[in-house]
């Protein structure tokens, strides 16, 4: 009788363990499935080189891809018998719309205050129409970039691990015109000035230099 | 006799099952780490960083960008950040391309220097580190990943924006014991590994942007945390090197620049 006792105990324990393991695996798989939801969106991309821009570049705790408060305004239905009441209603409606618009504007400001690191500024700085080239794009556009001048800089505490990339230019052979602190570069008939963007030097389309 | 044995078998089987069901799952979770504890752990981490007056840390980070083709490219960089509250900060960054940049808040001015372009930009500092970080990221459109962590109000900031936090496990896989948490803000999913012990500092953070195409990630690995740093004043001074040019921040030009074709600029003048 004792000989039958322990095999039964062990078999029962093993069975329960197996059931537990299977249950845990199932739970984990359901969890993974829950975490795998996808949604639509768009990431920016530049023409020549690979784009460095995108929501993940900001490393922010908020993203512009979603989560922004809705900005829709609702149209108010009107019927044929509303003509008599239209004046007073129009006044009241204007007042409500104004307060609603003000409230929306206020909510938007609060949202932007709370989500200040969502990359809105990055998007402004990277507006394609204004940025003529970045270091990466320009480096790929220039046929034969000059060898990088490895200028030692006392500004950095540690030496560079990788040789620095060549300085950027807005096109292969721009005409440069320094005016005070600003250097204007001309490519064809378009003028650019240098600016400091999220990823370093960028070229921004500009008006011609004064006196040109 | 037979009835007695049967009784013993059933009791033993019940005890065995109870043991497996109770002890088994508790091995997978650290006792006492409920979701509310996970949030408390996250806020303790933020509170520690926010209340530390001077610190330095090195961050190896990477982020994905999804190209037009749908392929992802990972960009890597190393940042060394030194902070001295209330109003000074220095951040040296080296990208995988070799490009190096420097950002300095000296208490009065923000300076950003691009070594390979020999160019720098300057703007007035609007206040202490908190105000300046927000201004730098939001208004100047500059990158300073995980900036929210370095605000003095980091715990309040996280508490207001984090919608859920869950405890995953305790692990030593990153080199020292850490608590692995996952959470969500309104638009970002995150994972964080926080050191176990007296100083709950982040060892690693992964941010996922689920609504963006390709669900890109930002990943940061922290090392060399120093909460007793005594940085020299000179560290927060930026003197433009010779043969460098001062340029404006792109956001300032973007706001002032003419639209393509110049149509809008002409329209504005009557």
């Amino acid at each position: 009788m004792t000989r039958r006792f322990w095999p039964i105990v062990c078999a029962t324990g093993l069975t329960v363990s197996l059931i537990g393991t299977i249950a845990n695996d199932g739970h984990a798989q359901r969890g993974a499935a829950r975490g795998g939801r996808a949604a639509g969106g768009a990431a920016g991309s530049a023409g020549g080189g690979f784009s460095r821009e995108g929501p993940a570049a900001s490393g922010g705790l908020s993203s512009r891809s979603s989560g922004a408060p809705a900005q829709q305004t609702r149209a108010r239905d009107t019927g044929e018998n509303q003509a008599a009441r239209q004046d007073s209603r129009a006044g009241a409606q204007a007042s409500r719309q104004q307060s609603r618009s003000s409230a929306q504007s206020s909510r938007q400001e609060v949202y932007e205050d709370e989500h200040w690191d969502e990359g809105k500024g990055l998007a402004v700085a990277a507006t394609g129409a204004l940025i003529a080239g970045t270091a990466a794009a320009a480096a790929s556009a220039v046929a034969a970039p000059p060898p990088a001048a490895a200028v030692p800089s006392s500004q950095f505490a540690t030496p560079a691990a990788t040789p620095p990339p060549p300085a950027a230019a807005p096109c292969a052979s721009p005409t440069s015109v320094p005016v005070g602190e600003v250097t204007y570069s001309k490519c064809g008939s378009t003028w650019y000035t240098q600016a400091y963007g999220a990823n370093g030097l960028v070229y921004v389309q500009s008006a011609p230099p004064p006196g040109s | 006799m037979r009835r007695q044995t049967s009784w013993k078998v059933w009791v033993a089987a019940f005890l065995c099952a109870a043991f497996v069901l109770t002890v088994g799952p508790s091995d997978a979770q650290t006792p006492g780490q409920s979701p509310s504890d996970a949030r408390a752990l996250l806020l303790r981490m933020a509170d520690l960083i926010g209340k530390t007056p001077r610190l330095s840390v090195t961050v190896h980070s990477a982020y994905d960008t999804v190209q037009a083709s749908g392929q992802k490219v990972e960009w890597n960089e190393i940042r060394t950040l030194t902070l001295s509250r209330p109003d000074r900060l220095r951040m040296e960054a080296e990208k995988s391309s070799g490009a190096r940049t420097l950002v300095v808040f000296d208490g009065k001015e923000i300076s950003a220097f691009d070594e390979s372009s020999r160019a720098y930009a300057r703007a007035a500092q609007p206040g202490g580190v908190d105000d300046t970080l927000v201004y730098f990221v939001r208004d100047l459109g500059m990158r300073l990943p995980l900036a929210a962590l370095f605000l003095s109000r980091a715990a309040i900031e996280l508490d207001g924006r984090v919608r859920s936090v869950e405890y995953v496990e305790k692990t030593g896989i990153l080199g020292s014991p850490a608590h692995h948490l996952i959470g969500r803000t309104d638009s970002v999913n995150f994972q964080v590994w926080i050191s176990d012990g007296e100083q709950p500092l982040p060892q690693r953070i992964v941010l996922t942007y689920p609504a963006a195409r390709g669900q890109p990630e930002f990943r940061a690995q922290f090392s060399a945390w120093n909460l007793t740093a005594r940085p020299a004043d000179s560290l927060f001074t930026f003197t433009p090197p010779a043969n460098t040019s001062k340029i404006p921040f792109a956001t300032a030009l973007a706001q002032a620049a003419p639209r393509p074709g110049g149509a809008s600029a002409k329209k504005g003048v009557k």
Side-chain angles (χ1 to χ4, degrees), chain B residues 71-151:
Chain B
Q71 260 193 301
K72 283 183 189 172
V73 174
E74 181 188 89
W75 305 100
N76 286 273
E77 55 198 2
I78 305 170
R79 292 171 184 266
T80 304
L81 186 139
T82 309
L83 180 62
S84 179
R85 299 188 201 280
D87 56 8
R88 294 185 297 174
L89 177 145
R90 178 188 177 91
M91 185 181 70
E92 292 184 19
E94 180 174 344
K95 296 175 188 169
S96 42
S97 66
R100 296 202 296 176
T101 58
L102 173 69
V103 172
V104 174
F105 302 169
D106 65 10
K108 292 176 181 170
E109 284 189 311
I110 300 166
S111 301
F113 173 57
D114 184 312
E115 183 187 42
S116 55
S117 303
R118 313 290 294 166
Y120 68 96
R122 270 187 163 151
Q125 196 173 325
V129 166
D130 285 13
D131 291 340
T132 310
L133 280 174
V134 173
Y135 177 73
F136 187 73
V137 172
R138 184 184 61 190
D139 301 308
L140 292 182
M142 300 296 290
R143 288 185 63 236
L144 207 156
L146 302 171
L149 271 188
F150 298 99
L151 300 175

Side-chain angles (χ1 to χ4, degrees), chain B residues 105-264:
Chain B
F105 302 169
D106 65 10
K108 292 176 181 170
E109 284 189 311
I110 300 166
S111 301
F113 173 57
D114 184 312
E115 183 187 42
S116 55
S117 303
R118 313 290 294 166
Y120 68 96
R122 270 187 163 151
Q125 196 173 325
V129 166
D130 285 13
D131 291 340
T132 310
L133 280 174
V134 173
Y135 177 73
F136 187 73
V137 172
R138 184 184 61 190
D139 301 308
L140 292 182
M142 300 296 290
R143 288 185 63 236
L144 207 156
L146 302 171
L149 271 188
F150 298 99
L151 300 175
S152 63
R153 58 170 196 276
I156 297 169
E157 191 87 15
L158 284 189
D159 198 28
R161 290 164 70 172
V162 172
R163 299 290 170 244
S164 67
V165 198
E166 292 177 71
Y167 190 88
V168 178
E169 63 180 0
K170 187 173 176 181
T171 177
I173 201 72
L174 297 176
S176 60
H179 302 285
H180 180 188
L181 313 181
I182 58 170
R184 294 173 192 265
T185 68
D186 284 337
S187 49
V188 174
N189 298 344
F190 67 86
Q191 301 184 63
V192 57
W193 286 257
I194 301 173
S195 291
D196 182 32
E198 291 298 307
Q199 293 194 333
L201 292 165
Q203 293 184 5
R204 176 175 164 79
I205 289 179
V206 176
L207 306 177
T208 307
Y209 297 83
R213 189 169 70 102
Q215 300 195 337
E217 286 187 348
F218 172 88
R219 299 169 284 277
Q221 196 96 15
F222 298 83
S223 60
W225 276 106
N226 183 357
L227 304 192
T228 56
R230 292 283 181 272
D233 286 348
S234 58
L235 203 63
F236 302 103
T237 304
F238 173 71
T239 306
N243 301 320
T244 54
S245 53
K246 186 180 176 187
I247 58 176
F249 282 105
T251 42
L253 277 186
Q255 286 157 9
R259 299 273 170 84
S264 63

Side-chain angles (χ1 to χ4, degrees), chain B residues 27-39:
Chain B
D27 279 346
Q29 293 178 338
T30 305
Q33 295 293 351
S34 65
S36 60
D37 292 325
R39 176 172 281 266

Side-chain angles (χ1 to χ4, degrees), chain A residues 118-142:
Chain A
E118 66 178 5
K120 185 181 178 185
L122 281 176
V124 170
T127 304
L130 297 175
I131 306 297
T134 64
S140 66
V142 176

Side-chain angles (χ1 to χ4, degrees), chain A residues 94-184:
Chain A
S95 170
R96 279 197 299 276
Q97 277 178 349
Q98 193 174 359
S99 63
R100 192 182 302 154
S101 168
S102 170
Q104 274 182 350
S105 169
S106 173
R107 278 202 300 277
Q108 180 68 20
E109 283 173 15
V110 169
Y111 178 87
E112 287 183 1
D113 279 348
E114 289 174 351
H115 300 80
W116 53 271
D117 60 346
E118 66 178 5
K120 185 181 178 185
L122 281 176
V124 170
T127 304
L130 297 175
I131 306 297
T134 64
S140 66
V142 176
V151 184
S153 173
S154 60
Q155 298 296 322
F156 294 89
T158 53
T162 311
C171 57
S173 49
T175 305
S176 295
V177 179
V179 178
E181 289 183 333
V182 181
T183 299
Y184 291 82

